[in-house]
Amino acid sequence: MRKMAGLALMIGAALAAGCNSTNDSNPPEPRAKNVIFFLGDGMGLNTLTAARIYGVGEEGDLTIDTLPETAFIKTYSHDAQVTDSAPSMAAYMTGVKSNNGVISMDSDATQEADCNQSAGKPVTTLLELAKADGRGTGIVTSTRVTHATPAATYAHICNRDLEADIAAQLVPGGAGYNGALKEGLDVVLGGGSSFFLPTADKGTRTDGRNLVSEMQAKGYQFASTLDELNQADASKPLLGLFGSSHMKYDLDRPASEPSLSQMTLAAIKQLQGKEKGYFLMVEGGRIDHALHDTNAKRALQDTIAFDDAIKAAILEVKKTDPELQNTLIVVTADHDHTLVLNGYAKRTGKTTASNPGVLGLVKNYTDGEPSKDADGMPYTIIGFGNGYNRVEGPRSSVAALDDATVSADDYHQEVVVSTGDIGNETHGGTDVFLGAIGQGADSFHGSLDNTAVFGKVKAAAKL
């Protein structure tokens, strides 16, 4: 009996130990330790479609097209049917609708020349939540790092145009610093050195501060060329500013300037060793600028460069996280533009040196002959609802278009409504695409408000 009692005690102890085991009975909940948020500025559905045809033809797939989870995103802001980049990106980053022109503040904030005259309070961003959780943080953009989209991740201000003040929010311990960033971002890559330098150093700052020097004094490495970027030490924070304003369009990029893919890989290198994971935002920002110029060729080429960066990131992350069990990658846009695809064009295939592709004239699918408008004149596959190049009077009063003209680098597509000078084409209010892959990606589906994306990323990352 004593032997049986002892055996029972041993079995009971073993069962108790098994019940208390965290290895078998209570496995940790899955979470996206790492988050990479890709934002194609202005990359509407029509632009995506045109970029696919431009880059790989009608039957091809961009990397964006292969993402397994998809949704449509509503983009209106608090005060406007058609948003600008500031409140749209802020909605993704904070879950709050704000007014046009406002960076990551609540809906009481209005865009004012002097923010002392504006109401409203800052709203916490995903990047700040990641920083509070001890994760690495970074931003990559082809625009100025102080531009609306990147600024919405780390700054709070009533007016997106106050970029000198936005830059100051990045400098640890300096006047105007955003203390929620604690010791500072781990990596900042893009353009816009003018807002970091005083006028005496060919910058635009009127306060005499040299923010590059201030950040270097806080331990940051500084890179201004691709070679310097490649030499960066992953153990130290990194600031890279490649140009005084926005970086070059991909079509015009010199060899000394890093591509969006190269900056993305450099940022991942800086962040992938972070024990608790990281949050990285990557913006293909100049898609938007080319669309404002109604210059479709540069817009489509920058969309391809953006897609290349997504592909590069997925391949790099899979080297250490093959099934993306610890990583969530989200790809979306902040708004669309007025780009349209016209007519009953025959299939063109991808654009090459000898084939204008989607940049060319509409040639009817029945006989391959150029389609004509009511004035008997040929017209392009791509056009815009508004913008710069509008023919006054009948189109027969100007020279007929040909493929060589309309597929040139500097061609500005024709528009329906003239909005004046180059650069004045407006955003559109149509829903945009979202694609996702990795841990937590299956929560993205259907039709979502942009504010809902914040909650889904936050939940997946357990922030």
Side-chain angles (χ1 to χ4, degrees), residues 266-329:
I268 293 172
K269 172 188 171 185
Q270 296 294 124
L271 296 169
Q272 61 189 356
K274 302 297 181 182
E275 183 178 350
K276 297 195 72 175
Y278 59 82
F279 177 89
L280 173 64
M281 188 287 298
V282 179
E283 182 199 20
R286 302 227 64 195
I287 301 168
D288 175 77
H289 298 164
L291 292 169
H292 278 303
D293 288 348
T294 59
N295 178 209
K297 189 170 187 177
R298 285 186 172 85
L300 301 187
Q301 180 60 40
D302 264 55
T303 304
I304 296 299
F306 178 67
D307 193 74
D308 288 343
I310 298 164
K311 180 178 180 180
I314 292 173
L315 292 174
E316 183 64 23
V317 171
K318 282 188 173 182
K319 291 177 182 178
T320 54
D321 187 10
E323 303 299 322
L324 298 181
Q325 294 181 346
N326 302 305
T327 306
L328 170 64
I329 297 175

Side-chain angles (χ1 to χ4, degrees), residues 7-183:
L7 180 61
L9 285 171
M10 290 173 64
I11 293 172
L15 288 173
C19 289
N20 292 327
S21 170
T22 58
N23 292 331
D24 299 324
S25 302
N26 300 301
E29 290 187 21
R31 70 182 178 104
K33 176 180 172 182
N34 312 310
V35 175
I36 307 179
F37 193 95
F38 282 94
L39 194 289
D41 200 311
M43 189 185 67
L45 288 167
N46 288 357
T47 298
L48 260 181
T49 302
R52 179 191 307 121
I53 301 170
Y54 171 85
V56 294
E58 287 88 347
E59 292 186 0
D61 286 318
L62 299 176
T63 301
I64 294 173
D65 298 319
T66 67
L67 299 174
E69 308 296 340
T70 62
F72 292 112
I73 306 299
K74 304 171 187 176
T75 64
Y76 63 92
S77 69
H78 181 259
D79 63 344
Q81 184 180 87
V82 176
T83 188
D84 88 288
S85 295
S88 186
M89 185 58 169
Y92 288 134
M93 291 297 105
T94 70
V96 173
K97 291 278 189 186
S98 52
N99 293 313
N100 276 8
V102 175
I103 299 284
S104 295
M105 298 187 72
D106 64 25
S107 59
D108 291 331
T110 54
Q111 185 175 14
E112 307 288 348
D114 179 357
C115 286
N116 291 327
Q117 305 301 315
S118 176
K121 297 178 181 178
V123 189
T124 303
T125 72
L126 287 170
L127 186 147
E128 290 171 332
L129 289 171
K131 178 58 70 174
D133 193 49
R135 304 191 203 190
T137 53
I139 60 167
V140 171
T141 179
S142 54
T143 70
R144 297 187 293 267
V145 299
T146 51
H147 215 233
T149 296
T153 68
Y154 67 82
H156 307 274
I157 200 162
C158 80
N159 188 333
R160 58 174 287 176
D161 294 332
L162 300 176
E163 293 187 56
D165 294 334
I166 291 170
Q169 296 195 41
L170 276 173
V171 185
Y177 180 56
N178 176 11
L181 303 179
K182 298 185 178 296
E183 74 281 3

Side-chain angles (χ1 to χ4, degrees), residues 163-349:
E163 293 187 56
D165 294 334
I166 291 170
Q169 296 195 41
L170 276 173
V171 185
Y177 180 56
N178 176 11
L181 303 179
K182 298 185 178 296
E183 74 281 3
L185 273 64
D186 296 284
V187 57
V188 176
L189 301 176
S193 64
S194 62
F195 289 104
F196 288 74
L197 300 174
T199 54
D201 292 330
K202 299 182 180 180
T204 59
R205 299 194 67 86
T206 58
D207 57 7
R209 293 177 66 185
N210 184 322
L211 303 190
V212 173
S213 295
E214 290 184 29
M215 293 183 76
Q216 288 176 312
K218 292 294 183 179
Y220 278 81
Q221 307 164 88
F222 179 67
S224 61
T225 66
L226 174 58
D227 285 344
E228 291 173 351
L229 178 65
N230 289 336
Q231 294 167 16
D233 184 343
S235 67
K236 300 176 181 178
L238 173 62
L239 170 66
L241 299 175
F242 308 100
S244 62
S245 186
H246 302 304
M247 295 177 68
K248 300 291 187 185
Y249 287 112
D250 194 66
L251 196 66
D252 311 311
R253 181 172 51 83
S256 60
E257 186 175 290
S259 67
L260 192 63
S261 293
Q262 289 167 327
M263 289 194 294
T264 300
L265 292 176
I268 293 172
K269 172 188 171 185
Q270 296 294 124
L271 296 169
Q272 61 189 356
K274 302 297 181 182
E275 183 178 350
K276 297 195 72 175
Y278 59 82
F279 177 89
L280 173 64
M281 188 287 298
V282 179
E283 182 199 20
R286 302 227 64 195
I287 301 168
D288 175 77
H289 298 164
L291 292 169
H292 278 303
D293 288 348
T294 59
N295 178 209
K297 189 170 187 177
R298 285 186 172 85
L300 301 187
Q301 180 60 40
D302 264 55
T303 304
I304 296 299
F306 178 67
D307 193 74
D308 288 343
I310 298 164
K311 180 178 180 180
I314 292 173
L315 292 174
E316 183 64 23
V317 171
K318 282 188 173 182
K319 291 177 182 178
T320 54
D321 187 10
E323 303 299 322
L324 298 181
Q325 294 181 346
N326 302 305
T327 306
L328 170 64
I329 297 175
V330 176
V331 180
T332 190
D334 48 356
H335 54 76
D336 76 336
H337 277 263
T338 67
L339 182 148
V340 294
L341 278 72
N342 293 312
Y344 294 104
K346 70 172 187 176
R347 285 167 52 162
T348 64

